[in-house]
Amino acid sequence: VMTQSPATLSVFPGERATLSCRASRSVSSNLAWYQQKPGQAPRLLIYGASTRATGIPARFSGSGSGTEFTLTISSLQSEDFAVYYCQQYNNWPPYTFGQGTKLEIK
Amino acid sequence: QLQLQESGPRLVKPSGTLSLTCTVSGGSISTPDYYWGWIRQPPGKGLEWIGNIYYSETTYYNTSLKTRVTVSVDTSKNQFSLKLTSVTAADTAMYFCAGIPVATNRNWFDPWGQGTLVTVSS
């Protein structure tokens, strides 16, 4: 089971956002982060817990291993307000997603 | 660059069968480098993996749906498909198809199709 916190995070533009994802058992570094905007498919941001996908800005960074993971977005831009999901691919099937963190403008 | 596009009926009657197709462009579905998968998202809720298929027709299913799901591949059309039987209102969701790299420890979902909303209603 993947558990994300908080469910909703309110942050001012330009500030830093820190999102958490916890696995019920170790997933090593086999964790991905996705961003989803309304009416769109999820977009891969981070894989391998800390590697940015192609075209992802450097303000997005991931860290962690085992059971505790963090997605950090430095200096939030207006286009960053969205829902973020973590997903483990260490112990599959099944692939499992967190329930999501909604990042909203404060 | 791989691109995926879902297609199929947007409205399905209760107890009926949901059928969707994903067309892959920009590459061959017969590549040994990718699994092809389905994920769904009920309105306002999170993401649920449904199942994967490899070009060799090896399949993997979420056990929560396994008795009702079939994923198949048509290499001649560069398409893979989802069938979900005995649907109820709980199966109303946005359905996404996606490519999943095969290599060990690289099994994230990328790319994704744009998704298609399927509603179960009489």
Side-chain angles (χ1 to χ4, degrees):
Chain A
V1 177
M2 307 300 292
T3 303
Q4 292 186 240
S5 61
T8 303
L9 181 62
S10 299
V11 183
F12 288 108
E15 293 191 335
R16 175 189 299 257
T18 302
L19 290 67
S20 296
C21 176
R22 173 176 292 178
S24 58
R25 58 173 170 153
S26 176
V27 298
S28 186
S29 294
N30 296 316
L31 183 109
W33 289 95
Y34 301 86
Q35 175 194 67
Q36 188 179 32
K37 297 180 180 179
Q40 296 184 16
R43 176 175 70 145
L44 178 69
L45 295 176
I46 301 283
Y47 60 85
S50 61
T51 302
R52 283 189 302 277
T54 302
I56 302 304
R59 63 181 182 273
F60 290 90
S61 63
S63 63
S65 66
T67 61
E68 300 283 345
F69 300 88
T70 300
L71 175 68
T72 301
I73 313 169
S74 63
S75 189
L76 278 161
Q77 307 296 303
S78 58
E79 62 266 30
D80 299 335
F81 292 95
V83 179
Y84 292 83
Y85 293 95
C86 61
Q87 175 238 331
Q88 71 82 20
Y89 49 91
N90 188 66
N91 307 309
W92 75 274
Y95 301 99
T96 47
F97 294 88
Q99 79 278 21
T101 291
K102 182 179 181 180
L103 181 58
E104 62 178 26
I105 300 174
K106 192 169 185 179
Chain B
Q1 179 179 347
L2 282 173
Q3 294 186 325
L4 285 72
Q5 176 69 59
E6 305 88 349
S7 60
R10 306 294 179 93
L11 181 64
V12 182
K13 294 187 186 303
S15 77
T17 297
L18 181 158
S19 297
L20 294 174
T21 295
C22 183
T23 301
V24 178
S25 59
S28 173
I29 203 168
S30 299
T31 177
D33 297 333
Y34 277 86
Y35 298 112
W36 307 102
W38 291 96
I39 305 98
R40 71 178 182 178
Q41 183 174 38
K45 297 188 177 181
L47 299 161
E48 178 183 35
W49 171 69
I50 300 170
N52 284 4
I53 192 165
Y54 195 48
Y55 77 97
S56 62
E57 302 188 25
T58 301
T59 53
Y60 306 87
Y61 296 129
N62 192 326
T63 55
S64 68
L65 298 168
K66 189 172 184 176
T67 59
R68 299 194 292 131
V69 170
T70 302
V71 179
S72 59
V73 65
D74 186 338
T75 55
S76 67
K77 295 182 179 179
N78 230 37
Q79 295 176 335
F80 63 105
S81 298
L82 169 69
K83 289 192 186 299
L84 181 66
T85 61
S86 304
V87 297
T88 69
D91 295 309
T92 293
M94 186 73 78
Y95 285 78
F96 298 99
C97 59
I100 306 109
V102 168
T104 301
N105 296 333
R106 296 183 66 84
N107 312 128
W108 50 81
F109 295 94
D110 184 58
W112 294 67
Q114 66 183 30
T116 187
L117 178 63
V118 179
T119 302
V120 178
S121 175
S122 56

